[in-house]
Structure formats: structure tokens, C-alpha cells
């Protein structure tokens, strides 16, 4: 229920005042907790990179990957198999050593802020499932990388970028069908007026909507979510049960319009190209920095050259530092795409107040009103304030006789 402000004041619609009416509904402890959680994430970016670099440095200092590679060479003389076995041991050891950090960031901290409903046993089981998947895929990718290093010592970074792109495309095609169901149950959305409205929006923009799935993410947490995933025959629209149970029809349509915007604007291809370009530059720098490090410290680490599988931590350090440095750029590139999808969603769903309400709900885990520089550096989605303002400006430009409305008290805790 909304309180109609204009009906009592007779004032003209003002987009900024309408925006403030929404933003001011998040106050006191709820706002403090939202800010504290998201701002704490800034430090996690730094500490996460530091943990990755420290562990790889320890592996080198203790000659751990040297030992793994030596053991693998006693088992086989085939270079690809030696690399695969070394990678498997390296990735498994990395997962074990970083487990305390993963438990704190992924479970303890999320429970502290009441953002995770899942018990530890269920959470840990899913982490082990994800680890098992990565241990099947990642060693193969690493083995291919090292084969490229052996065959093209100067240009392996180019070919490595291409191979990574192929792996990502394969994951995008197969992920919705074979990987996502390992973590959640997907069922066809029931027929009814809401599905009809979603299909009508999709049909207006020639977006495939033969399959609309609902997945049971409430077993893990209460965050609302939706996506358009897959490629070709596996493309599908999915929304979680939290979105259905916690929000209104207007909010659901606003979210689905946004997700359809990603599809219609070809964001998956744009982001794939952009991320591969960033990776390519990182691999290029690594291809020049890693040999220098190995020439200087290789004897101490037990690493012969870049083609030696024992060099994995060296490459890991270079790439970790590069991706940390690129965090603001990556955040901004993603945020720009998200903003374009927001604009598309407003045009498609024509639910500006639904969009504003759902943007406010995201304050559960995203700071609602950051400073301009803060948003540029740390936000990979537009902030709640930016999104609500966009919705109210759209309302001013597209709705006849627009009204300023104030959400009822406690609406963020409703449904």
C-alpha cells in the first residue's frame, strides 16, 4: 500500500522529492547494518587478494608445487599428465588452506548479518560440490594452458585467452542444464496471470519465453534474484522463489524486465568480450613478469621456467594482483551494463514504483546511498539511490499525472 503524497499537498511531481520519499524509508539500525555489511566488503576485496598472494608465495617458499611436479614426473613422463596432476594437487591444496577464509566470508559473516538461512552442513556440502566441479574442469584448462606455453612461449597468452573463451561458452550452454540443478531445484512456473504478463513483455521484444523456471533459493537465503541464462537451445528465464514470495507483481515485472534487457541488449556477449580483453591483457603482463620472477627466484622455489607446472603459484600471484588492480574497471563495466538493463526494464515493464521498491529491498546487502567515487570503485550494480532516481525520472517523463508516493512503514520487512 502506498500513501499518495500529492493527493494531500496538490504539489507538482518532483522526481528528486519522489526519490527521497523512498530513500528516507531506510533509516536507523537497518540502514546502519546495510552500510556496515557492504562497506566491510571493500576490505574483503583487499584481504581476499592478499590471502591468494600469500598462499601462493608460501607454496613457492616451501617448494610445494616443486614437490607436486616431482611426484607427478615419477608417475608419468607425459607433459600433459604431469601438468594435470600438479594442477589437481595445487588446486586441492589451495582450497584446503583457504577454507577458513571461505568459511568466514561465505558462512560466518553472512550469518552475522542475517543474510544466510542455510545451516553449516548444507552450506559446506554445496561448497564441496562446487569444488568437485572446479577440480574436474580447472586442471584440464590449466593443462591446455601449459601445452600452449610449451608450444608458443611468446604468444601463449593470446591462445590462452581464446581457449578460456571457448570454456566459458561451453559453461554458458551447459550450465543451466547440468550445473545449476546441482544446487537448486528448477520447476516450470505455474500458468496464471503473472506468467501471462511476463510472457507478454517477452513477446513484445521477441525474447524466448517458452521456459520460465522457478528455483528454490529460499533454502539458502532470502535474497531476491532472477536471470536469463543459457545459449541457443538451453536459453531460459529463471526467477527464485524469494522474488515470488517476498515482492509484489509490479516488482516481479520490473525485475523480469531488467533481466530481459540483458538478453535483448546482448550483454552476455559484450561482457564476455570485455572480460576476455581484460584477461588477455593480464595474461600478457603475466607472460612477461613471470619469466623475470622465475629467473630471479626460480632456483629458490624449485621452478625451472614458465613451462614448468611448478610455476603455477607464480602465474597465480601475477593474475591475482592484476585482477585486484582491475576491480574498479570491472565493477564499472558491469555497472554500466546493469544501468542499461535498468533503463530497458523500465520501458518494458512500465512499473517505475515497482522498480523503486525492489531497488530498496536490495539494501539488505547493498549500501543504498554511497558517494559518487564510492559507487564507481566498489559497486558492480547501480546503487539503490541511483536506481530509484532513474525510476522516478522515468515516471516523470512517461506517466500521465504522476504522483509522489511514500511506501508504508515497514514495507521492506513485508512479504
Amino acid at each position: 500500500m502506498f500513501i499518495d503524497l500529492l493527493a494531500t499537498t496538490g504539489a507538482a511531481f518532483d522526481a528528486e522529492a519522489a526519490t527521497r520519499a523512498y530513500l528516507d524509508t531506510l533509516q536507523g539500525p537497518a540502514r546502519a547494518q546495510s552500510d556496515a555489511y557492504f562497506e566491510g566488503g571493500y576490505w574483503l576485496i583487499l584481504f581476499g587478494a592478499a590471502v591468494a598472494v600469500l598462499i601462493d608465495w608460501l607454496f613457492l617458499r616451501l617448494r610445494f608445487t616443486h614437490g607436486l611436479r616431482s611426484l607427478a614426473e615419477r608417475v608419468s613422463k607425459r607433459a600433459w599428465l604431469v601438468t594435470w596432476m600438479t594442477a589437481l594437487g595445487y588446486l586441492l591444496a589451495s582450497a584446503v588452506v583457504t577454507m577458513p577464509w571461505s568459511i568466514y566470508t561465505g558462512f560466518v559473516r553472512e550469518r552475522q548479518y542475517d543474510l544466510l538461512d542455510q545451516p553449516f552442513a548444507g552450506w559446506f556440502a554445496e561448497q564441496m560440490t562446487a569444488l568437485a566441479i572446479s577440480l574436474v574442469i580447472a586442471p584440464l584448462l590449466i593443462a591446455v594452458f601449459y601445452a600452449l606455453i610449451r608450444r608458443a612461449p611468446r604468444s601463449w597468452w593470446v591462445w590462452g585467452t581464446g581457449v578460456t573463451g571457448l570454456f566459458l561458452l561451453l559453461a554458458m550452454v551447459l550450465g543451466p542444464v547440468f550445473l545449476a540443478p546441482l544446487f537448486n531445484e528448477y520447476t516450470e512456473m505455474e500458468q496464471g496471470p503473472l506468467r501471462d504478463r511476463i510472457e507478454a513483455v517477452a513477446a513484445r521484444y521477441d525474447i524466448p519465453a517458452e521456459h520460465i523456471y522457478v528455483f528454490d533459493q529460499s533454502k539458502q537465503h532470502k535474497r531476491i534474484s532472477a536471470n536469463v541464462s543459457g545459449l541457443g537451445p538451453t536459453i531460459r528465464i529463471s526467477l527464485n522463489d524469494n522474488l515470488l514470495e517476498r515482492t509484489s507483481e509490479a516488482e516481479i515485472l520490473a525485475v523480469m524486465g531488467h533481466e530481459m534487457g540483458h538478453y535483448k541488449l546482448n550483454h552476455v556477449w559484450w561482457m564476455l568480450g570485455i572480460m576476455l580483453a581484460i584477461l588477455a591483457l593480464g595474461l600478457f603482463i603475466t607472460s612477461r613478469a613471470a619469466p623475470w620472477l622465475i629467473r630471479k627466484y626460480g632456483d629458490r622455489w624449485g621452478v625451472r621456467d614458465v613451462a614448468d607446472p611448478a610455476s603455477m603459484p607464480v602465474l597465480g600471484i601475477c593474475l591475482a594482483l592484476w585482477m585486484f588492480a582491475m576491480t574498479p574497471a570491472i565493477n564499472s563495466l558491469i555497472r554500466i551494463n546493469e544501468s542499461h538493463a535498468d533503463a530497458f526494464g523500465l520501458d518494458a515493464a512500465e512499473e517505475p514504483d515497482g522498480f523503486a521498491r525492489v531497488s530498496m529491498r536490495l539494501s539488505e546487502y547493498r549500501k543504498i546511498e554511497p558517494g559518487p567515487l564510492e559507487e564507481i570503485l566498489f559497486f558492480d550494480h547501480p546503487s539503490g539511490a541511483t536506481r530509484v532516481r532513474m525510476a522516478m525520472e522515468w515516471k516523470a517523463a512517461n506517466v500521465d499525472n504522476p504522483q509522489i508516493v511514500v511506501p508504508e512503514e515497514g514495507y521492506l520487512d513485508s512479504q
Side-chain angles (χ1 to χ4, degrees), residues 136-155:
V136 171
I137 298 172
L140 293 174
L141 181 59
I142 291 173
V144 173
F145 259 78
Y146 274 85
L148 293 170
I149 292 173
R150 290 191 297 271
R151 296 191 179 189
R154 297 293 296 176
S155 61

Side-chain angles (χ1 to χ4, degrees), residues 82-394:
V82 170
T83 302
W84 181 87
M85 287 188 289
T86 305
L88 184 65
Y90 166 67
L91 294 171
L92 183 58
S94 297
V96 171
V97 175
T98 57
M99 187 57 67
W101 174 255
S102 299
I103 290 173
Y104 169 70
T105 58
F107 181 79
V108 175
R109 186 170 185 266
E110 296 295 301
R111 297 278 284 197
Q112 285 176 341
Y113 283 93
D114 195 28
L115 293 173
L116 185 70
D117 298 326
Q118 200 170 25
F120 181 77
W123 176 87
F124 189 75
E126 289 186 356
Q127 299 305 302
M128 292 301 99
T129 299
L131 175 61
I133 294 170
S134 69
L135 291 178
V136 171
I137 298 172
L140 293 174
L141 181 59
I142 291 173
V144 173
F145 259 78
Y146 274 85
L148 293 170
I149 292 173
R150 290 191 297 271
R151 296 191 179 189
R154 297 293 296 176
S155 61
W156 64 265
W157 61 275
V158 177
W159 304 106
T161 301
V163 168
T164 302
L166 292 176
F167 267 76
L168 290 175
L169 283 174
L170 185 63
M172 288 161 58
V173 172
L174 300 180
V177 178
F178 297 104
L179 299 183
L182 296 176
F183 302 93
N184 296 97
E185 181 180 355
Y186 286 72
T187 57
E188 279 278 356
M189 184 179 185
E190 294 182 359
Q191 296 293 333
L194 177 58
R195 177 162 181 156
D196 291 342
R197 290 195 65 186
I198 294 173
E199 290 178 344
V201 173
R204 195 161 67 226
Y205 293 94
D206 296 321
I207 296 172
E210 292 83 3
H211 298 290
I212 302 178
Y213 291 95
V214 177
F215 57 105
D216 59 340
Q217 204 159 45
S218 60
K219 72 177 185 179
Q220 291 136 343
H221 54 71
K222 61 182 180 181
R223 299 184 187 191
I224 57 179
S225 178
N227 61 75
V228 177
S229 60
L231 287 176
T234 65
I235 194 165
R236 60 189 60 195
I237 297 172
S238 303
L239 57 157
N240 70 6
D241 52 353
N242 294 324
L243 183 62
L244 286 178
E245 295 167 5
R246 298 188 61 213
T247 66
S248 64
E249 182 173 307
E251 292 172 78
I252 294 170
L253 287 169
V255 171
M256 298 310 293
H258 167 93
E259 297 301 333
M260 292 177 194
H262 283 308
Y263 172 84
K264 193 63 178 179
L265 298 173
N266 295 312
H267 283 170
V268 65
W269 298 110
W270 280 105
M271 286 310 304
L272 179 64
I274 290 169
M275 294 305 295
L276 288 178
I278 291 174
L279 175 64
L281 186 53
L283 289 177
F284 170 75
I285 293 172
T286 299
S287 73
R288 300 314 187 250
W292 178 84
L293 289 170
I294 292 170
R295 285 194 299 271
K296 192 173 180 64
Y297 303 106
D299 291 341
R300 185 185 307 174
W301 297 334
V303 179
R304 301 166 186 153
D305 52 37
V306 178
D308 180 359
S311 69
M312 288 179 198
V314 183
L315 273 61
I317 289 173
C318 293
L319 288 173
L321 291 174
W322 170 251
M323 296 308 292
F324 172 73
M326 287 292 100
T327 298
I330 293 171
N331 284 346
S332 291
L333 291 167
I334 296 173
R335 189 178 62 256
I336 290 168
N337 272 357
E338 294 293 333
S339 182
H340 291 165
D342 287 347
F344 181 97
L346 284 166
D347 288 337
E350 300 180 344
E351 293 286 357
D353 285 293
F355 186 82
R357 285 173 69 98
V358 81
S359 297
M360 292 299 299
R361 291 189 193 279
L362 299 180
S363 65
E364 290 176 345
Y365 57 89
R366 188 174 293 142
K367 186 175 181 178
I368 198 71
E369 201 169 4
L373 182 60
E374 186 180 11
E375 187 163 357
I376 290 171
L377 292 176
F378 298 110
F379 279 65
D380 61 1
H381 285 63
S383 67
T386 297
R387 286 177 144 171
V388 173
R389 186 169 291 107
M390 176 185 282
M392 294 302 98
E393 289 173 352
W394 186 95

